[in-house]
Protein backbone atom coordinates (compact mmCIF):
# COMPACT_ATOMS: atom_id res chain seq x y z
CA UNK A 1 0.00 0.00 0.00
CA UNK A 2 1.07 3.55 -0.79
CA UNK A 3 2.96 5.11 2.15
CA UNK A 4 0.89 8.31 1.95
CA UNK A 5 -2.28 6.25 2.39
CA UNK A 6 -0.75 4.43 5.36
CA UNK A 7 0.08 7.78 6.98
CA UNK A 8 -3.40 9.11 6.24
CA UNK A 9 -4.97 6.06 7.89
CA UNK A 10 -2.72 6.39 10.94
CA UNK A 11 -3.69 10.08 11.28
CA UNK A 12 -7.37 9.19 10.93
CA UNK A 13 -7.11 6.43 13.55
CA UNK A 14 -5.28 8.72 15.99
CA UNK A 15 -7.92 11.44 15.58
CA UNK A 16 -10.57 8.93 16.68
CA UNK A 17 -8.95 8.65 20.13
CA UNK A 18 -10.62 11.97 21.05
CA UNK A 19 -14.04 10.33 20.73
CA UNK A 20 -13.22 7.07 22.52
CA UNK A 21 -15.69 6.59 25.41
CA UNK A 22 -13.88 4.64 28.12
CA UNK A 23 -15.03 5.54 31.65
CA UNK A 24 -14.30 1.97 32.85
CA UNK A 25 -10.97 0.93 31.33
CA UNK A 26 -9.49 4.30 30.28
CA UNK A 27 -8.00 2.24 27.43
CA UNK A 28 -8.55 4.27 24.27
CA UNK A 29 -8.60 2.72 20.80
CA UNK A 30 -8.99 4.41 17.41
CA UNK A 31 -9.49 2.76 14.03
CA UNK A 32 -9.60 3.93 10.42
CA UNK A 33 -11.15 1.58 7.87
CA UNK A 34 -10.32 2.06 4.19
CA UNK A 35 -13.16 1.01 1.88
CA UNK A 36 -12.56 -0.13 -1.70
CA UNK A 37 -14.37 3.03 -2.87
CA UNK A 38 -11.71 5.19 -1.18
CA UNK A 39 -13.85 6.27 1.77
CA UNK A 40 -12.27 6.17 5.22
CA UNK A 41 -14.52 5.26 8.16
CA UNK A 42 -13.30 6.18 11.61
CA UNK A 43 -14.20 4.23 14.74
CA UNK A 44 -13.56 4.43 18.48
CA UNK A 45 -14.28 2.05 21.34
CA UNK A 46 -17.54 2.75 23.18
CA UNK A 47 -17.83 1.25 26.66
CA UNK A 48 -20.93 0.55 28.71
CA UNK A 49 -21.76 0.32 32.42
CA UNK A 50 -23.04 -3.22 31.79
CA UNK A 51 -19.61 -4.03 30.24
CA UNK A 52 -20.65 -6.59 27.60
CA UNK A 53 -22.34 -4.08 25.26
CA UNK A 54 -18.92 -2.43 24.80
CA UNK A 55 -18.03 -2.00 21.15
CA UNK A 56 -14.43 -2.06 19.95
CA UNK A 57 -13.08 0.70 17.72
CA UNK A 58 -12.70 -1.70 14.80
CA UNK A 59 -16.30 -2.87 14.90
CA UNK A 60 -17.54 0.70 15.26
CA UNK A 61 -15.75 1.54 11.99
CA UNK A 62 -17.10 -1.57 10.21
CA UNK A 63 -20.64 -1.03 11.38
CA UNK A 64 -20.60 2.63 10.33
CA UNK A 65 -19.55 1.61 6.82
CA UNK A 66 -21.86 -1.38 6.45
CA UNK A 67 -24.81 0.66 7.77
CA UNK A 68 -24.18 3.04 4.86
CA UNK A 69 -24.20 0.25 2.28
CA UNK A 70 -20.41 -0.16 1.99
CA UNK A 71 -19.16 -3.76 2.16
CA UNK A 72 -15.83 -3.89 0.40
CA UNK A 73 -12.69 -3.01 2.27
CA UNK A 74 -8.94 -2.89 1.69
CA UNK A 75 -7.37 -2.09 5.07
CA UNK A 76 -7.85 -1.02 8.66
CA UNK A 77 -5.45 0.91 10.89
CA UNK A 78 -5.62 0.47 14.67
CA UNK A 79 -3.98 2.56 17.41
CA UNK A 80 -4.53 2.61 21.14
CA UNK A 81 -3.26 2.65 24.67
CA UNK A 82 -4.05 3.39 28.29
CA UNK A 83 -5.23 7.02 28.61
CA UNK A 84 -4.78 7.30 24.83
CA UNK A 85 -0.98 7.16 25.10
CA UNK A 86 0.40 5.14 22.18
CA UNK A 87 3.23 2.92 23.43
CA UNK A 88 2.67 -0.48 21.84
CA UNK A 89 0.91 -2.22 18.97
CA UNK A 90 -2.77 -2.95 19.70
CA UNK A 91 -3.99 -6.05 17.90
CA UNK A 92 -7.69 -6.56 17.17
CA UNK A 93 -9.65 -8.85 19.50
CA UNK A 94 -11.00 -12.17 18.24
CA UNK A 95 -14.52 -10.86 17.78
CA UNK A 96 -13.29 -8.00 15.59
CA UNK A 97 -11.16 -10.41 13.53
CA UNK A 98 -14.32 -12.44 12.92
CA UNK A 99 -16.21 -9.32 11.78
CA UNK A 100 -13.35 -8.59 9.37
CA UNK A 101 -13.66 -12.19 8.10
CA UNK A 102 -17.30 -11.52 7.22
CA UNK A 103 -16.56 -8.65 4.83
CA UNK A 104 -12.91 -8.94 3.81
CA UNK A 105 -10.72 -11.21 1.75
CA UNK A 106 -8.38 -12.76 4.34
CA UNK A 107 -5.59 -13.06 1.73
CA UNK A 108 -5.54 -9.37 0.86
CA UNK A 109 -7.14 -7.36 3.70
CA UNK A 110 -4.38 -5.40 5.45
CA UNK A 111 -4.33 -4.74 9.18
CA UNK A 112 -2.03 -1.85 10.07
CA UNK A 113 -1.02 -1.70 13.74
CA UNK A 114 0.56 1.65 14.50
CA UNK A 115 2.31 3.43 17.36
CA UNK A 116 3.17 6.54 15.31
CA UNK A 117 3.39 7.60 11.67
CA UNK A 118 6.91 6.17 11.61
CA UNK A 119 6.30 2.99 13.61
CA UNK A 120 3.81 0.48 12.28
CA UNK A 121 3.42 -3.17 11.25
CA UNK A 122 1.17 -4.62 8.55
CA UNK A 123 -0.47 -8.04 8.63
CA UNK A 124 -2.87 -9.81 6.28
CA UNK A 125 -6.13 -10.92 7.92
CA UNK A 126 -5.21 -14.55 7.17
CA UNK A 127 -2.15 -14.19 9.42
CA UNK A 128 -4.16 -12.92 12.39
CA UNK A 129 -7.09 -15.29 11.84
CA UNK A 130 -5.73 -18.56 10.40
CA UNK A 131 -8.36 -21.05 9.24
CA UNK A 132 -11.04 -18.42 9.76
CA UNK A 133 -14.69 -19.32 9.37
CA UNK A 134 -16.45 -17.06 6.91
CA UNK A 135 -19.34 -16.67 4.47
CA UNK A 136 -17.67 -19.08 2.02
CA UNK A 137 -18.15 -21.89 4.50
CA UNK A 138 -21.91 -21.46 4.33
CA UNK A 139 -22.11 -21.02 0.55
N1 LIG B 1 -10.63 -2.58 22.50
C1 LIG B 1 -10.79 -2.13 21.22
O1 LIG B 1 -11.53 -1.18 20.98
N2 LIG B 1 -10.12 -2.77 20.23
C2 LIG B 1 -9.19 -3.75 20.42
O2 LIG B 1 -8.61 -4.23 19.46
C3 LIG B 1 -8.91 -4.24 21.79
C4 LIG B 1 -9.83 -3.75 22.84
C5 LIG B 1 -11.28 -1.85 23.59
C6 LIG B 1 -12.46 -2.52 24.25
C7 LIG B 1 -12.46 -1.85 25.60
O3 LIG B 1 -13.15 -0.61 25.53
C8 LIG B 1 -11.00 -1.55 25.88
O4 LIG B 1 -10.35 -1.60 24.62
C9 LIG B 1 -10.35 -2.50 26.84
O5 LIG B 1 -10.54 -3.82 26.45
Amino acid sequence: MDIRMIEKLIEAAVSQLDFSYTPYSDFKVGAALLAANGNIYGGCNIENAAYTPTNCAERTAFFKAVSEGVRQFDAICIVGGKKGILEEYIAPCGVCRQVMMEFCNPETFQIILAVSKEQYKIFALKDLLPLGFGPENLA
Side-chain angles (χ1 to χ4, degrees):
M1 182 180 303
D2 181 56
I3 187 137
R4 281 163 304 181
M5 179 53 82
I6 293 171
E7 289 181 356
K8 196 172 169 182
L9 290 172
I10 294 171
E11 268 174 26
V14 168
S15 72
Q16 287 293 311
L17 295 171
D18 289 342
F19 306 126
S20 166
Y21 175 73
T22 57
Y24 308 106
S25 74
D26 206 19
F27 192 89
K28 300 197 170 287
V29 184
L33 176 63
L34 176 64
N37 66 9
N39 286 354
I40 294 173
Y41 295 88
C44 63
N45 52 334
I46 305 170
E47 297 189 343
N48 190 281
Y51 288 24
T52 51
T54 293
N55 209 53
C56 290
E58 299 90 322
R59 273 176 290 145
T60 302
F62 268 91
F63 295 161
K64 281 171 67 179
V66 173
S67 68
E68 293 183 14
V70 174
R71 294 183 188 164
Q72 290 188 319
F73 305 102
D74 291 341
I76 191 168
C77 175
I78 306 161
V79 300
K82 196 86 182 163
K83 298 187 200 302
I85 298 167
L86 309 185
E87 287 176 328
E88 58 182 9
Y89 297 114
I90 305 305
C93 80
V95 172
C96 289
R97 294 178 202 203
Q98 187 63 37
V99 168
M100 293 173 196
M101 188 71 197
E102 188 66 27
F103 296 105
C104 307
N105 180 342
E107 301 283 331
T108 59
F109 185 69
Q110 309 272 287
I111 300 169
I112 304 162
L113 310 183
V115 174
S116 68
K117 275 212 272 188
E118 295 76 38
Q119 200 185 340
Y120 58 84
K121 297 199 273 197
I122 306 181
F123 299 88
L125 176 57
K126 69 168 192 278
D127 298 322
L128 297 191
L129 190 64
L131 289 175
F133 184 84
E136 304 271 290
N137 295 102
L138 296 180

